[in-house]
Amino acid sequence: QVHLVESGGGLVQAGGSLTLCCSASGWTFRDYSVGWFRQAPGKEREFVAAVASNGESPHYKDPVKGRFTISRDNSKNTVYLKMNNLKPEDTAAYYCKAVRDSDFEIPVESGSWGQGTQVTVSS
């Protein structure tokens, strides 16, 4: 059974940094590409970034390119999202999911999202 736990969110001022963590248990973590998604109030959930199972081929949505860095440590079953130069428009709940190797922006399965971790950026 897949179980993902997001952590690391918080309240920061614009221009600040945060590192989010996605910890996995109960499945062969290293076999899956993993992505980060976010959902702002009143908006649909959107893709942010993803990384292949071997830690290569990072992929980012345009609004976060150059500011966010995704990485993973398979020995710790953890994927990280380092967020620099945060902007108020980055305010959202952030979620991680296993994603398709053929299209990083699509979750392997769309149901059962985790609790997420809230990121709030003040101006």
Side-chain angles (χ1 to χ4, degrees):
Q1 183 175 357
V2 175
H3 185 62
L4 295 170
V5 178
E6 303 92 348
S7 63
L11 172 64
V12 295
Q13 291 187 332
S17 299
L18 283 173
T19 298
L20 305 185
C21 298
C22 171
S23 299
S25 62
W27 52 302
T28 310
F29 176 79
R30 65 187 65 218
D31 289 345
Y32 289 88
S33 301
V34 175
W36 283 95
F37 298 78
R38 67 186 181 186
Q39 186 168 21
K43 296 187 177 181
E44 293 190 354
R45 188 175 284 127
E46 64 176 358
F47 170 80
V48 175
V51 65
S53 58
N54 61 2
E56 296 180 358
S57 307
H59 173 62
Y60 303 93
K61 209 62 175 173
D62 284 346
V64 307
K65 282 182 179 177
R67 300 189 297 120
F68 290 11
T69 302
I70 189 169
S71 61
R72 65 191 294 162
D73 185 340
N74 285 341
S75 69
K76 296 181 179 179
N77 281 6
T78 302
V79 172
Y80 304 95
L81 185 68
K82 173 68 171 175
M83 306 185 296
N84 294 324
N85 190 23
L86 282 160
K87 303 177 181 181
E89 52 263 43
D90 294 318
T91 295
Y94 283 71
Y95 305 86
C96 59
K97 289 279 279 185
V99 296
R100 299 183 183 183
D101 291 338
S102 59
D103 188 336
F104 279 1
E105 299 188 18
I106 300 177
V108 170
E109 55 92 18
S110 59
S112 302
W113 291 85
Q115 294 288 332
T117 186
Q118 179 67 36
V119 171
T120 303
V121 185
S122 62
S123 57

